[in-house]
Amino acid sequence: MAPVKISIIGAGSAVFSMRLVNDLCKTKGLSGSLVSLMDIDEQRLNGVYELAVRYVKELGADLRFEKTTSLETSLHEADFVINTALVGGHAYLDKVREIGERYGYYRGIDAQELNMVTDYCTITNFNQLKFFVDLARMMERICPNAWLLQTANPVFEGTNLISRCSKIKVVGFCHGHHGVIEMAEALNLDERKLDWQVAGFNHAIWLNRFFYDGEDGYELLDRWIEGGNLEGWKPRNPFDVQMSPAAIDMYRFYGMMPIGDTVRNGTWYYNKDFETKKRWYGEPWGGPDSEEGWKWYQKQLKTTTDAIAYLSANRSLKLLSLNTYLKFLPEGTVPKEMMREAEIFSSPDKLSGEQHIPFIDSLVNGNVRRFVINVPNEGYIEGIPDGVFVEVPAVVDKDGWHVERIEPKLSEKVLKFYLWPRMLRMEWALYAIMNGDKSALIEFLMRDPRTNSLEQAEGVIEEILGLEENQKMRLHYEKGMKL
Ligand code: NAD
């Protein structure tokens, strides 16, 4: 048992904080640890802090919490830093998307070929990417030996940028590989008999290895398709895209199944407009990244934030009985996804499925586990330069990570039609921001099939640079500043 200090940056994050607190409370090996909750939004911070303290008491766990709006204070003596902050929030992303749409860029200028995920902004979210670098550099000064667990998006651009701008140990996290389990459920397979691997980049992973009880799992998938299951397929929610027509179409072309968010990151063929999205990702939402799908997601986020505020204000409510309270409400009042979260939260030992806390436990206490993490390539994926962050399965112990041999290799089509072009877009985005090169931003857009003229690309970039919250971004690009 080794107590550590874990800083959660952007602790008011609707998605992550309570999941991390849940996992920490149930990880005995990290007992006695100090958790520093840091956020610039005091109201959200207070809500999460209040709940965390109460939850620990109810569970009888041995954890201490501090809350702060100062990044410096939070980083002091930190061993692990989990970054979940979204600088400018979803409101900023909505604003730049709306500007992009006025200039003819459906779902905004960051919705690019092979990067269609709505909050994965690579060229407009300067403040977010700059924050990643500032945080890493501040860590070099205050807690140089700490690990940075990069969770806020864009994880692919972010991990690569941080590693090129600082010496801090950074590893990227995502839960997208859970798509393998969703697929197993659809095929009616027992998860324990699966032998699988995924490999690629964040939001760009492919099921290179798939065996079931010694049998070729892809034959089972082919049978599922031939059995007409696709015809009757309907999504249960906008994120339920693992077995969508888009996923199967990608499988047919690439020869391997795209996993998790990779399905959202197809080509224009699936994403051109709302009608097209509906055809490929299912009715009525057209996947999570359409106007309707994202509206649904934002409503979910608000429900979670409201729930945290309500629970923290009503101190007499027992958090471990959350599940029971919710069951008393009329059917349909609480979204299914929230019921699932409440069930985990109400149980004395269930973990959230996020990898951060088990990863820390494996490193600190040597409890060996398998993860899917984003680490610099060291020949793991052939054909990808060393140093570029790849998302791969790895066993983690006290000595760090040990990436599995990727076997069989990714298909040539995955490499040449998917990973290489996606990597180039990352390189372009990093080139632009690291050199403060506005012409690179314009050139980025000139390669977008939605761009019809130079005026269109220049116009949209100027309007985004002109936003009040982008003063630093404008200066950076006008002066050609280096990062
Ligand atoms: P959110 O807006 O609900 O929460 C982000 C928090 O960051 C807010 O509480 C905000 O006050 C805080 N924040 C903003 N600027 C800050 C700063 N300078 N310092 C400290 N805190 C600051 O956002 P969300 O929906 O919870 O998403 C957070 C991030 O996580 C996004 O980038 C999202 O894309 C990403 N995400 C990652 C995964 C993954 O698996 N890796 C999954 C879902 C979401």
Side-chain angles (χ1 to χ4, degrees):
M1 209 163 73
V4 289
K5 176 169 176 183
I6 302 171
S7 300
I8 304 179
I9 311 301
S13 161
V15 181
F16 283 106
S17 286
M18 288 318 290
R19 288 190 196 162
L20 298 179
V21 170
N22 173 80
D23 296 349
L24 264 166
C25 286
K26 296 169 186 173
T27 305
K28 296 279 175 280
L30 296 173
S31 278
S33 292
L34 171 63
V35 184
S36 174
L37 301 170
M38 186 271 154
D39 203 293
I40 50 165
D41 183 329
E42 261 193 279
Q43 204 181 341
R44 277 181 166 217
L45 181 63
N46 288 339
V48 170
Y49 176 78
E50 154 77 22
L51 281 193
V53 170
R54 250 164 64 199
Y55 192 55
V56 166
K57 218 176 189 175
E58 284 186 30
L59 271 171
D62 176 17
L63 279 180
R64 286 173 301 132
F65 287 92
E66 67 175 32
K67 58 171 175 166
T68 176
T69 52
S70 153
L71 193 52
E72 240 166 330
T73 306
S74 186
L75 296 183
H76 181 67
E77 294 188 338
D79 299 295
F80 295 93
V81 177
I82 303 176
N83 178 21
T84 71
L86 176 57
V87 178
H90 287 275
Y92 170 73
L93 304 185
D94 291 346
K95 198 189 269 187
V96 284
R97 189 167 43 255
E98 186 270 321
I99 295 175
E101 293 209 320
R102 268 197 282 111
Y103 281 84
Y105 295 94
Y106 174 58
R107 304 304 291 152
I109 67 172
D110 292 285
Q112 287 277 336
E113 183 84 345
L114 312 178
N115 184 29
M116 279 39 202
V117 171
T118 315
D119 56 359
Y120 214 92
C121 295
T122 58
I123 52 172
T124 59
N125 218 354
F126 170 85
N127 292 332
Q128 173 84 335
L129 288 164
K130 175 79 167 56
F131 178 75
F132 293 175
V133 175
D134 291 347
L135 169 63
R137 288 182 179 156
M138 199 184 273
M139 285 176 66
E140 282 182 352
R141 192 162 49 79
I142 300 176
C143 51
N145 297 319
W147 289 76
L148 174 55
L149 277 55
Q150 181 61 34
T151 303
N153 282 322
V155 168
F156 184 42
E157 275 74 8
T159 47
N160 281 296
L161 180 66
I162 291 165
S163 74
R164 291 177 197 190
C165 293
S166 87
K167 291 190 181 63
I168 220 74
K169 291 174 286 191
V170 58
V171 53
F173 283 83
C174 190
H175 41 223
H177 60 277
H178 291 168
V180 175
I181 306 307
E182 288 173 36
M183 194 175 129
E185 278 168 12
L187 300 182
N188 230 346
L189 307 180
D190 179 352
E191 193 190 316
R192 287 163 305 181
K193 295 185 187 166
L194 287 181
D195 170 8
W196 62 272
Q197 272 187 342
V198 288
F201 303 140
N202 178 237
H203 284 196
I205 50 172
W206 298 83
L207 187 66
N208 64 305
R209 182 192 188 102
F210 181 32
F211 289 102
Y212 183 68
D213 212 8
E215 249 192 276
D216 182 353
Y218 273 117
E219 282 180 15
L220 303 176
L221 175 62
D222 290 342
R223 260 181 255 152
W224 184 87
I225 299 168
E226 283 155 20
N229 287 292
L230 202 53
E231 282 74 52
W233 177 85
K234 264 212 152 299
R236 290 162 292 184
N237 62 60
F239 284 82
D240 180 20
V241 295
Q242 185 56 62
M243 303 306 283
S244 62
I248 303 302
D249 196 57
M250 287 167 88
Y251 164 51
R252 285 183 175 131
F253 178 74
Y254 291 101
M256 286 181 173
M257 194 66 171
I259 294 298
D261 302 294
T262 318
V263 179
R264 298 159 72 183
N265 283 336
T267 67
W268 295 112
Y269 193 47
Y270 315 119
N271 289 288
K272 203 160 62 73
D273 50 36
F274 187 37
E275 286 311 309
T276 310
K277 277 180 181 280
K278 280 198 281 191
R279 198 156 59 244
W280 290 102
Y281 296 104
E283 303 261 8
W285 303 285
D289 302 298
S290 72
E291 41 276 61
E292 288 305 317
W294 203 248
K295 210 186 282 171
W296 181 95
Y297 180 56
Q298 293 200 317
K299 210 167 141 201
Q300 294 280 121
L301 289 179
K302 187 172 179 319
T303 312
T304 312
T305 317
D306 289 351
I308 291 177
Y310 178 80
L311 291 169
S312 62
N314 290 278
R315 295 185 175 173
S316 59
L317 292 176
K318 286 269 164 288
L319 301 174
L320 281 172
S321 310
L322 200 57
N323 204 10
T324 326
Y325 300 138
L326 296 183
K327 277 190 183 139
F328 279 116
L329 295 174
E331 206 175 319
T333 322
V334 185
K336 277 198 198 95
E337 293 69 24
M338 273 204 78
M339 271 315 282
R340 228 184 349 259
E341 298 267 334
E343 261 163 42
I344 293 169
F345 207 54
S346 304
S347 112
D349 52 10
K350 274 194 189 150
L351 297 185
S352 70
E354 297 293 345
Q355 303 186 95
H356 312 70
I357 305 303
F359 175 83
I360 294 174
D361 182 45
S362 293
L363 267 186
V364 172
N365 296 312
N367 291 321
V368 181
R369 292 185 187 87
R370 186 186 201 223
F371 296 90
V372 176
I373 46 179
N374 291 265
V375 297
N377 196 33
E378 283 183 34
Y380 311 132
I381 301 187
E382 277 179 36
I384 299 298
D386 279 356
V388 167
F389 274 65
V390 288
E391 190 163 301
V392 280
V395 166
V396 177
D397 60 20
K398 267 192 163 176
D399 297 326
W401 57 73
H402 312 279
V403 175
E404 294 174 7
R405 191 182 138 94
I406 302 302
E407 185 65 47
K409 286 180 202 160
L410 291 170
S411 72
E412 194 178 349
K413 272 181 163 175
V414 164
L415 203 64
K416 294 186 174 165
F417 285 84
Y418 197 97
L419 294 183
W420 285 2
R422 176 66 186 93
M423 182 174 67
L424 261 188
R425 282 179 170 75
M426 176 276 288
E427 293 292 354
W428 296 343
L430 262 54
Y431 181 88
I433 192 168
M434 288 177 75
N435 294 290
D437 188 336
K438 192 157 89 175
S439 66
L441 288 181
I442 308 285
E443 187 60 31
F444 199 114
L445 283 186
M446 293 313 290
R447 306 195 179 206
D448 185 323
R450 299 169 298 176
T451 302
N452 297 314
S453 67
L454 183 59
E455 291 70 36
Q456 181 193 3
E458 287 176 341
V460 74
I461 293 292
E462 287 307 330
E463 190 161 337
I464 289 168
L465 289 177
L467 289 174
E468 205 187 323
E469 49 273 67
N470 281 344
Q471 281 177 18
K472 282 190 187 148
M473 180 183 184
R474 188 168 61 241
L475 206 67
H476 181 80
Y477 282 107
E478 273 172 5
K479 298 212 162 183
M481 287 156 81
K482 303 262 179 210
L483 256 198

